[in-house]
Amino acid sequence: MGFMERGIMRTKFPAWQIFLWWHHFFLLWSTIDGQTRYSIPEELKRGSVVGNLAKDLGLVVSELHRRNLRITSEAGKQYFSLDLGKGELVVTDRIDREELCGQRPSCLLPLELVIDNPLQLHRVEIEIQDTNDNSPSFLTKDKVVKIAELVNPGARFPLESAQDPDVGQNSVRSYLISKNEHFKLTVKNQKDGRKVPELVLEKPLDREKQPVHHLILTAVDGGDPVRSGTSEITVIVLDNNDNAPQFERHLYEANVSENAAPGTEILRVKATDADEGLNGEIEYVFGELTDDQVLSVFYIEPSTGAITVKGILDHEANSLYRFDVTAKDKGSPEMDGHCGVEIKIADINDNIPEIIVTSLTTPVAEDSAIGTVIALISSKDPDSGDNGKVTLRLSSKSPFKLSPSVSNHYSLVTNGSLDREKNSQYSVTITAADSGKPSLSSEKTIRVELLDVNDNPPVFSQPSYVVYVKENNAPGKILHSVSASDLDLGENAKISYSILDSKVQDVSVSYVYINSDNGSIYSMHSFDYEKLKVFQIQVQAKDQGSPSLSSNATVHVFILDQNDNAPAVIYPSSAALGSLSHQRMPRSAKAGHLVTKVTAVDADSGHNAWISYRLAEATDASLFTVNLYTGEVRTKRAVSEQDDSSQRLLIEIKDDGEPVQSSTVTVSILLEDGLHEPILDLRHKLSEPSRKTGRITLYLILSLASVSVLSLVTFLILAVKCIRSSRSSGSCCMRRSDCDDYKNPNRNLQIQLNTDGPIKYVEVLGGDMLSQSQSFRSCMSPMSEYSDFTLIKPSSTTDFKEVISVLDASLPDSTWTFESQQVSI
Ligand SMILES: *[C@@H]1O[C@H](CO)[C@@H](O)[C@H](O)[C@H]1NC(C)=O
Ligand SMILES: *[C@@H]1O[C@H](CO)[C@@H](O)[C@H](O)[C@H]1NC(C)=O
Ligand SMILES: *[C@@H]1O[C@H](CO)[C@@H](O)[C@H](O)[C@H]1NC(C)=O
Ligand SMILES: *[C@@H]1O[C@H](CO)[C@@H](O)[C@H](O)[C@H]1NC(C)=O
């Protein structure tokens, strides 16, 4: 029994199973009409005998042909055929149990056999027994399992079950995992009997240590021999954002010039993050508490960490920026790292030094001493180092200098004498330059005004003036105008003129007054050349400064002669006798006999005093002749007996002035007989004037002596009187109010007291009489009593009468008339 053998051979069934087999076998036999079952393993070779049908169905082998035993084809494919010769069922095709029955635990192939004569239907079932012909296999050879890094141990991750088409023992029995330290494997039995392998995490994962684990899962079946299949399992440890970005340095430092243009990169910070993906993707931002100032000036590129200039840097405003930079990853939760950044702003010489005038004194008195402080000046440069080191200097030449005091402070002081008259103001230009490279500089101009000081006296346009005035000028007319100028300003230059003194030969007189405002000098009276030829005026110009300055000038006034005097006959002196001049001459006189000599003088001078004589009328014009120049009267011829003994001559005396002035003298000549020595007489006569002159000199000396004695006596008396009379009275006045007429016809003087206007003065004019006696109030200062009798004093005048009487007493009339111009006034 092949069937039995094979069945036993093919399967190693336990004893109870063999029993079961036997039981089935008999059962089959018992239902032979119904069904016959064979059991064969799958994958039998073609031609293998499944069973002897003839025997099992009770058929005779020899009849099989005839009765045409055949398999009806129910199902499409036929795996079996009949060997009619032996009555055996033979395998004709490969039988794959897994193909036929899949995972069904029993796999029966029904077979219907038909035999004719008589027609019989036999059912045969062929059970296909599994053989371990398939290895377990995994659908995916490379399985990827992603496990989050932070998963706790114990977590299970189902894996794919292996497929094994075999059934029963031959199907997957167990799983194995390759050796590793993190995972173990458990197998979970599903309700449907499937075994599902599961990875169980035994030890925490760290992606940063080992991001990928390679495992091999092996599925083993229960066949004999054992078959297995593997699957590669890649465990990818999913990153957990468990690493914060780490900066390479704690502190980054950089320098940047303050003139760095926006966009200039200063430095790059760099952080790394061990995580991956978004967890490792770093974004750089300024730290949370970063100052707005920093934000306005710098920019950080989020992806690269490059810090660039964004705004305007200014070393002076901020020379150092400190801030934090945060590197953030994009994980969830995000993690961040921090670093410090210090950016120093390097100074550039970008600030122009500034000059500050703290205080300025102006105007400055021109007489300020050297070293006087005029201004306090300081400088400012916000740059640092050399860029901010400022030096000041004066750029223009000036009498000032800068003297340095404490740092960056200077005082502007005078370094020379100032003169407002040369330079009334200065523009002091101060240059400030710093020590940067290149150096920057600025300028400031200070205006220093000078204050006038009265340091210049008025200066007359000429040191002395010469003025010519015609005599007989009208009083009150401008004689001359002097002018002075003063270089100073204002009151210091306001000039007032005054007359210090007027002098005639060192004797003070008062002929003029001056307009104090403009220097016009006015005469106070008419001048008489014959009495006054020249005088000096000391004028003073005085400014109004304090103290005031003055200067003097002399005005020389020359009186010009006018022909205002007629020649005056001195000899023969008819006027003195009040009658004709009588001359006597002998009848015996020959031709050319000098009868007399007419002498005349002219008070004028020059041509005005150039006298010529002419015989104007004569009793007998043929007898006498008058020398034109000498005035000698001589006989033209010898006197004859017929000539009248009394002859009268009218001699005209003319000067050469313009207009001509003339006078006449009448000479009566008595012709006498027996008269001799005419020449001696004449000589005597001629010498008369010189003797007279000598006498005059004597008289003068006497009079001066007497005046001196008199004045001394007077002074003593006055002094004694004064002391006695009144101690309270400041001045000592002598009062005289006698009103007796004082008249001297011979005096050629006229004295007038002028009391008009502010100035009281006395005019002494040429004249023939003192018209009226006046009451004088005289306050005689002992010192100037006689020497300066025209001295003008308010409320006091000199007693002229006294003076004149003194003069009168000391001088004979004729002489006085003559000499008055020299001594008077
Ligand atoms: C910045 O400049 C300072 C002084 O000039 C220098 O000492 C320092 O080393 C510089 N720092 C950098 C980062 O260049
Ligand atoms: C100051 O004056 C002195 C003397 O005149 C002169 O030598 C000096 O140069 C002056 N200083 C300045 C800064 O002008
Ligand atoms: C001075 O002033 C007087 C009075 O005002 C005037 O008459 C005279 O002409 C002036 N003199 C000059 C020089 O201006
Ligand atoms: C001007 O003269 C007065 C009087 O004679 C004198 O006191 C004064 O010093 C003189 N002034 C000048 C600048 O000469």
Side-chain angles (χ1 to χ4, degrees):
M1 282 234 329
F3 167 73
M4 285 302 294
E5 281 172 11
R6 277 182 194 113
I8 293 161
M9 274 168 62
R10 295 289 292 176
T11 51
K12 283 180 180 172
F13 292 129
W16 65 274
Q17 275 186 332
I18 294 168
F19 169 76
L20 209 68
W21 266 97
W22 275 111
H23 174 76
H24 275 293
F25 191 73
F26 285 109
L27 219 73
L28 280 171
W29 274 109
S30 61
T31 59
I32 199 151
D33 290 333
Q35 231 167 10
T36 305
R37 179 182 286 200
Y38 297 101
S39 187
I40 56 163
E42 60 179 329
E43 303 282 353
L44 279 181
K45 269 186 244 155
R46 287 196 184 98
S48 301
V49 177
V50 177
N52 195 329
L53 278 175
K55 198 171 131 193
D56 294 337
L57 294 178
L59 297 174
V60 180
V61 175
S62 53
E63 286 182 357
L64 291 180
H65 264 293
R66 194 189 43 88
R67 290 186 70 185
N68 190 21
L69 177 69
R70 61 187 187 276
I71 299 167
T72 60
S73 50
E74 265 177 28
K77 195 168 177 185
Q78 283 300 325
Y79 296 94
F80 306 99
S81 67
L82 291 170
D83 181 352
L84 292 180
K86 290 178 186 169
E88 287 173 336
L89 188 64
V90 179
V91 175
T92 58
D93 205 348
R94 178 180 166 252
I95 300 167
D96 186 2
R97 194 202 69 87
E98 285 75 33
E99 191 182 316
L100 286 172
C101 302
Q103 288 295 302
R104 266 176 286 154
S106 70
C107 183
L108 290 174
L109 283 180
L111 208 63
E112 280 184 1
L113 300 169
V114 179
I115 192 161
D116 298 333
N117 300 324
L119 183 65
Q120 288 178 317
L121 180 68
H122 296 274
R123 282 178 183 267
V124 175
E125 272 183 347
I126 298 161
E127 184 187 26
I128 310 296
Q129 290 173 348
D130 184 42
T131 59
N132 194 18
D133 58 347
N134 286 290
S135 297
S137 72
F138 293 93
L139 273 180
T140 40
K141 289 285 168 218
D142 289 307
K143 164 84 176 168
V144 175
V145 180
K146 292 183 178 173
I147 302 176
E149 196 174 5
L150 286 188
V151 165
N152 290 327
R156 289 159 180 267
F157 304 93
L159 299 175
E160 184 190 349
S161 298
Q163 302 298 316
D164 192 334
D166 297 331
V167 293
Q169 291 286 326
N170 293 333
S171 75
V172 177
R173 202 187 65 194
S174 65
Y175 292 94
L176 301 170
I177 193 93
S178 57
K179 194 170 154 46
N180 73 90
E181 51 178 328
H182 290 281
F183 300 98
K184 70 175 186 186
L185 196 70
T186 61
V187 178
K188 196 172 161 190
N189 290 306
Q190 299 283 76
K191 278 187 186 141
D192 60 0
R194 274 196 308 129
K195 290 179 161 65
V196 179
E198 280 179 342
L199 269 181
V200 179
L201 185 66
E202 267 192 325
K203 199 178 150 195
L205 294 170
D206 187 350
R207 192 200 65 81
E208 286 70 39
K209 262 193 207 153
Q210 195 180 351
V212 177
H213 298 264
H214 293 284
L215 302 173
I216 290 174
L217 177 68
T218 309
V220 185
D221 64 15
D224 182 21
V226 172
R227 285 173 171 262
S228 66
T230 58
S231 167
E232 214 166 276
I233 293 175
T234 307
V235 175
I236 296 179
V237 182
L238 288 184
D239 185 47
N240 232 29
N241 195 20
D242 53 351
N243 283 285
Q246 283 275 317
F247 277 99
E248 287 170 346
R249 282 197 255 162
H250 285 300
L251 180 67
Y252 289 85
E253 285 171 292
N255 290 335
V256 64
S257 154
E258 63 176 319
N259 65 353
T264 308
E265 183 175 324
I266 303 166
L267 75 131
R268 256 168 211 257
V269 295
K270 184 152 170 49
T272 50
D273 190 324
D275 294 329
E276 63 172 10
L278 288 180
N279 293 339
E281 208 167 279
I282 294 173
E283 189 184 69
Y284 301 92
V285 290
F286 286 111
E288 252 175 56
L289 301 175
T290 306
D291 211 83
D292 281 348
Q293 232 186 347
V294 173
L295 297 180
S296 68
V297 169
F298 299 112
Y299 170 74
I300 188 161
E301 167 65 39
S303 54
T304 60
I307 296 174
T308 54
V309 178
K310 177 174 146 196
I312 305 295
L313 299 175
D314 186 0
H315 171 87
E316 288 69 40
N318 207 338
S319 62
L320 174 68
Y321 289 92
R322 276 203 185 96
F323 53 90
D324 283 347
V325 170
T326 303
K328 284 199 272 197
D329 59 28
K330 294 174 180 168
S332 176
E334 66 175 27
M335 309 242 352
D336 47 25
H338 306 273
C339 73
V341 176
E342 257 187 38
I343 295 175
K344 286 191 184 117
I345 311 300
D347 186 43
I348 291 282
N349 195 15
D350 59 347
N351 284 284
I352 295 170
E354 194 187 340
I355 300 169
I356 302 154
V357 178
T358 321
S359 73
L360 173 65
T361 318
T362 183
V364 177
E366 57 176 322
D367 62 350
S368 296
I370 288 177
T372 304
V373 176
I374 287 162
L376 295 178
I377 293 156
S378 60
S379 65
K380 206 168 81 178
D381 191 331
D383 290 328
S384 57
D386 278 352
N387 293 340
K389 202 190 258 175
V390 182
T391 41
L392 295 187
R393 62 186 171 75
L394 297 180
S395 37
S396 52
K397 205 170 141 47
S398 64
F400 304 103
K401 72 171 180 186
L402 282 170
S403 81
S405 56
V406 287
S407 67
N408 284 343
H409 283 77
Y410 293 80
S411 42
L412 182 69
V413 298
T414 54
N415 186 40
S417 53
L418 306 173
D419 188 357
R420 192 205 61 82
E421 285 71 40
K422 271 192 204 142
N423 242 335
S424 65
Q425 64 174 33
Y426 289 92
S427 292
V428 184
T429 305
I430 299 163
T431 308
D434 60 28
S435 309
K437 283 187 181 80
S439 160
L440 294 175
S441 64
S442 67
E443 272 191 0
K444 186 160 206 144
T445 301
I446 299 179
R447 222 175 185 68
V448 179
E449 307 262 349
L450 295 192
L451 192 66
D452 187 46
V453 165
N454 194 19
D455 55 353
N456 285 285
V459 174
F460 278 101
S461 57
Q462 290 166 243
S464 68
Y465 297 84
V466 175
V467 181
Y468 297 96
V469 188
K470 283 184 183 170
E471 61 175 331
N472 303 322
N473 58 316
K477 283 278 164 61
I478 293 179
L479 278 186
H480 192 66
S481 285
V482 294
S483 73
S485 55
D486 194 311
L487 292 173
D488 293 324
L489 260 192
E491 289 289 295
N492 294 340
K494 198 168 172 190
I495 297 171
S496 70
Y497 299 91
S498 61
I499 289 181
L500 290 178
D501 205 1
S502 307
K503 278 185 175 167
V504 177
Q505 289 182 345
D506 295 336
V507 177
S508 293
V509 291
S510 175
Y511 296 144
V512 292
Y513 65 93
I514 194 162
N515 181 322
S516 65
D517 293 335
N518 64 14
S520 286
I521 300 172
Y522 297 84
S523 65
M524 290 193 288
H525 59 81
S526 181
F527 297 112
D528 185 359
Y529 174 80
E530 286 68 42
K531 289 171 192 152
L532 180 67
K533 291 192 171 58
V534 63
F535 63 96
Q536 280 89 37
I537 309 165
Q538 281 279 317
V539 289
Q540 186 176 64
K542 191 171 182 182
D543 61 29
Q544 309 284 300
S546 172
S548 69
L549 294 172
S550 65
S551 64
N552 299 343
T554 311
V555 181
H556 298 274
V557 182
F558 291 94
I559 316 293
L560 294 180
D561 186 43
Q562 298 288 101
N563 195 21
D564 59 343
N565 285 289
V569 180
I570 307 166
Y571 188 86
S573 176
S574 54
L577 297 175
S579 57
L580 292 172
S581 163
H582 293 284
Q583 302 291 331
R584 287 181 293 176
M585 65 170 284
R587 267 197 188 271
S588 56
K590 297 190 178 68
H593 173 80
L594 178 64
V595 180
T596 186
K597 184 175 190 285
V598 177
T599 306
V601 290
D602 194 307
D604 297 322
S605 55
H607 278 270
N608 294 338
W610 195 347
I611 293 169
S612 60
Y613 304 89
R614 191 172 67 85
L615 185 61
E617 277 174 40
T619 316
D620 185 352
S622 64
L623 187 56
F624 298 101
T625 175
V626 177
N627 185 297
L628 184 62
Y629 301 112
T630 61
E632 284 172 347
V633 181
R634 288 178 187 269
T635 50
K636 272 186 182 169
R637 56 176 170 85
V639 182
S640 67
E641 291 300 322
Q642 287 82 25
D643 289 332
D644 207 338
S645 64
S646 171
Q647 293 283 336
R648 239 174 139 256
L649 301 177
L650 181 69
I651 296 166
E652 189 190 33
I653 304 144
K654 285 200 288 188
D655 61 23
D656 200 25
E658 182 64 43
V660 171
Q661 295 257 24
S662 65
S663 57
T664 54
V665 65
T666 307
V667 178
S668 66
I669 300 165
L670 208 62
L671 298 178
E672 287 177 3
D673 297 322
L675 197 66
H676 303 288
E677 289 181 48
I679 297 160
L680 269 175
D681 180 49
L682 190 64
R683 266 184 201 148
H684 177 76
K685 286 267 181 193
L686 281 171
S687 65
E688 196 81 27
S690 64
R691 276 214 314 280
K692 235 178 190 171
T693 315
R695 270 207 323 271
I696 289 165
T697 314
L698 181 68
Y699 288 148
L700 263 174
I701 292 165
L702 282 174
S703 70
L704 280 172
S706 61
V707 163
S708 303
V709 170
L710 193 75
S711 59
L712 188 66
V713 169
T714 314
F715 170 71
L716 286 173
I717 291 167
L718 278 170
V720 170
K721 257 190 166 178
C722 279
I723 291 161
R724 275 187 193 165
S725 65
S726 111
R727 276 161 208 264
S728 59
S729 152
S731 64
C732 204
C733 292
M734 215 163 84
R735 199 170 173 172
R736 252 183 70 183
S737 53
D738 48 346
C739 295
D740 42 37
D741 282 345
Y742 187 84
K743 197 171 179 179
N744 188 343
N746 295 328
R747 183 156 310 280
N748 203 15
L749 275 176
Q750 187 180 354
I751 298 172
Q752 275 184 359
L753 178 65
N754 187 337
T755 51
D756 299 343
I759 302 171
K760 290 188 169 62
Y761 60 95
V762 171
E763 257 185 63
V764 182
L765 297 169
D768 56 354
M769 62 173 289
L770 194 68
S771 59
Q772 210 178 353
S773 173
Q774 296 189 22
S775 167
F776 294 106
R777 174 178 274 222
S778 137
C779 184
M780 291 193 287
S781 109
M783 302 305 288
S784 61
E785 191 180 354
Y786 290 111
S787 62
D788 188 9
F789 70 85
T790 54
L791 187 77
I792 294 150
K793 288 183 178 173
S795 82
S796 81
T797 53
T798 310
D799 189 343
F800 286 97
K801 271 193 210 167
E802 231 166 36
V803 175
I804 290 163
S805 66
V806 168
L807 287 173
D808 210 20
S810 55
L811 297 171
D813 295 345
S814 56
T815 310
W816 171 245
T817 312
F818 242 79
E819 305 288 330
S820 62
Q821 64 190 18
Q822 289 161 22
V823 291
S824 70
I825 309 167

